[in-house]
Amino acid sequence: MNSESTVNAYLRSKVMSATPEQLRLMLIEGAIRFCNQGLDGLLRKDFEQMCSGFASCRNILLELTSSVRAEVDEALAKRVQSLYTFMYLHLVEAGFERDADKAKKVVDLLEFERQTWVMLMDKLAQEQNNGAGSATASSTFPQSAHSAGSSDPDRQHHASSHATISNTSSHTAQRAALSIEG
């Protein structure tokens, strides 16, 4: 077994054994990585790299959008989907207009999303270790978002929006996570 197939086997195992929360984090991190690759291509005028990176990021944004659960809170789900749609459209515009500032805005939003998601995962793990948490992210994150200690209402609102996120354990999400880890 060569080193590339060993790495692929490791990554496949990592994705297949990941919790729904970890899968979502992998998707967010992949979106950041691909958006940065596209931005780098744009800045270097390597438009093939730009198109490839932005396309991969857009595909992940579509997966993140499709995993929002409207049955938890329909109004909140629409706002979260609107955020992902905004990033998607901003990335399309960045590619067509060759606008690095628009691409950087998407990277910044994704990095904030990642920070928020990690904060919520840490809070969930802490609550589960204390025996106070539930087994699913969708029922724990609304409570933890308000008790996370942030005095910034926008951060609290953004964190609480993850109440509508599904347990991203679908086969599609696993395949997408596998493709971004490789």
Side-chain angles (χ1 to χ4, degrees):
M1 190 180 264
N2 66 29
S3 64
E4 186 176 328
S5 62
T6 302
V7 168
N8 286 339
Y10 167 75
L11 292 175
R12 185 172 314 283
S13 173
K14 181 178 173 184
V15 168
M16 298 307 283
S17 64
T19 65
E21 294 84 9
Q22 291 167 334
L23 280 174
R24 186 166 201 83
L25 180 60
M26 287 180 205
L27 289 171
I28 294 167
E29 289 172 341
I32 292 168
R33 184 171 57 251
F34 285 127
C35 195
N36 277 323
Q37 286 174 1
L39 178 58
D40 182 59
L42 175 59
L43 295 173
R44 292 186 302 107
K45 300 197 183 313
D46 179 347
F47 298 119
E48 185 176 339
Q49 179 182 339
M50 177 200 73
C51 289
S52 176
F54 287 172
S56 295
C57 182
R58 287 192 311 265
N59 287 338
I60 294 170
L61 287 169
L62 288 174
E63 178 61 33
L64 291 169
T65 302
S66 70
S67 66
V68 176
R69 292 176 44 197
E71 67 271 9
V72 175
D73 181 335
E74 190 172 339
L76 190 55
K78 286 181 182 179
R79 288 194 302 264
V80 172
Q81 288 172 327
S82 293
L83 174 65
Y84 290 134
T85 301
F86 170 82
M87 287 190 273
Y88 183 95
L89 293 174
H90 227 55
L91 209 50
V92 169
E93 291 172 2
F96 282 130
E97 298 169 7
R98 309 290 195 248
D99 188 337
D101 289 335
K102 286 186 178 185
K104 181 63 178 144
K105 176 74 172 180
V106 173
V107 170
D108 290 344
L109 287 168
L110 286 167
E111 287 175 347
F112 185 75
E113 177 81 358
R114 183 194 179 286
Q115 292 169 356
T116 302
W117 194 251
V118 168
M119 177 186 75
L120 293 171
M121 287 176 61
D122 289 345
K123 186 67 174 174
L124 175 62
Q126 179 184 19
E127 288 177 2
Q128 286 176 339
N129 287 338
N130 292 337
S134 75
T136 63
S138 61
S139 63
T140 303
F141 287 149
Q143 174 188 3
S144 63
H146 297 291
S147 61
S150 174
S151 60
D152 182 351
D154 289 334
R155 275 191 189 266
Q156 287 179 350
H157 170 74
H158 186 76
S160 68
S161 70
H162 290 287
T164 62
I165 303 303
S166 77
N167 292 331
T168 313
S169 60
S170 70
H171 186 62
T172 304
Q174 290 177 336
R175 283 196 333 260
L178 273 173
S179 70
I180 64 170
E181 287 293 310

